[in-house]
């Protein structure tokens, strides 16, 4: 799966931390759940009347719970590469936790929803500002407008070197494809940052 020269130690697993970020209700918990080999740890809380007027559920009216701290899962991409996934909360009032969740990560997935692309700008700004390699994954919700990766790139002003993919966070194969693209992107970006 990975090109020759990938610095993995033979006979031992290399583990790495990946962050899954994006706006409220974009599918971060679903993304982690769909791919995790272990029962994922989630910190979802039932949405109450206190969130009325604070959390915009217009695009996700069936949403009844939200992540209040993080999601955690694990996947082995190869026998010697284990990814630990940390999903961030999407609401602005929980962004203070991001620095702690991102510490030690080698890359991030920014999930986007074409019904509300502007919701991913805070995550894009955060990772562009931090220098952490990231990919943009457009979670294709049923009935949502369909755009090409290049149209999304243009709308979000994502730099040309950052991969933009279309995915379905409910489907394991789709999330594996996104994670693989992120790992390969991070391998290219990280050495360039060291020069």
């Amino acid at each position: 799966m990975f090109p020759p020269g990938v610095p993995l130690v033979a006979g031992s697993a290399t583990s790495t931390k990946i962050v899954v970020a994006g706006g409220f209700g974009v599918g971060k918990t679903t993304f982690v759940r769909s791919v995790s080999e272990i029962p994922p740890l989630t910190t979802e809380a039932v949405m109450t009347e206190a969130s009325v007027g604070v959390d915009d559920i217009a695009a996700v009216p069936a949403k009844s719970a939200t992540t209040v701290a993080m999601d955690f899962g694990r996947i082995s991409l190869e026998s010697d590469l284990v990814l630990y996934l940390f999903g961030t909360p999407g609401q602005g009032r929980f962004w203070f936790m991001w620095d702690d969740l991102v510490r030690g990560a080698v890359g991030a997935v920014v999930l986007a929803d074409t019904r509300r692309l502007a919701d991913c700008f805070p995550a894009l700004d955060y990772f562009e500002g931090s220098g952490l390699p990231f990919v943009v994954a457009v979670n294709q919700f049923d009935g949502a407008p369909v755009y090409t990766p290049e149209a999304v790139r243009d709308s979000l002003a994502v730099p040309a070197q950052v991969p933009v993919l279309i995915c379905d966070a409910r489907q394991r194969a789709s999330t594996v494809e996104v994670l693989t693209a992120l790992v390969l992107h991070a391998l290219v970006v990280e050495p360039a940052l060291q020069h």
Side-chain angles (χ1 to χ4, degrees), residues 53-174:
V54 177
D55 298 327
D56 180 8
I57 63 167
V60 284
K63 188 166 181 63
S64 61
T66 187
T67 299
V68 295
M70 69 171 194
D71 299 312
F72 174 78
R74 183 191 74 205
I75 178 176
S76 301
L77 286 185
E78 293 282 329
S79 62
D80 52 1
L81 180 59
V82 177
L83 304 182
Y84 291 99
L85 308 176
F86 290 78
T88 66
Q91 301 96 313
R93 65 182 181 276
F94 297 125
W95 289 344
F96 69 91
M97 291 185 266
W98 281 32
D99 288 340
D100 289 330
L101 288 173
V102 170
R103 189 173 293 116
V106 299
V109 174
V110 176
L111 279 179
D113 179 347
T114 59
R115 298 170 296 181
R116 49 203 170 97
L117 282 175
D119 289 359
C120 70
F121 280 127
L124 292 173
D125 291 344
Y126 183 92
F127 295 117
E128 285 177 355
S130 72
L132 188 70
F134 68 94
V135 299
V136 175
V138 179
N139 189 9
Q140 194 59 62
F141 286 86
D142 294 335
V146 177
Y147 298 103
T148 65
E150 285 311 310
V152 172
R153 177 187 307 284
D154 292 344
S155 293
L156 297 175
V158 174
Q161 69 274 16
V162 174
V164 177
L165 305 104
I166 307 297
C167 76
D168 184 337
R170 301 168 296 186
Q171 302 297 321
R172 180 181 173 83
S174 187

Side-chain angles (χ1 to χ4, degrees), residues 1-2 77 83 174-186:
M1 178 183 298
F2 295 100
L77 286 185
L83 304 182
S174 187
T175 55
V176 167
E177 183 179 327
V178 170
L179 293 169
T180 301
L182 173 61
V183 170
L184 293 173
H185 178 61

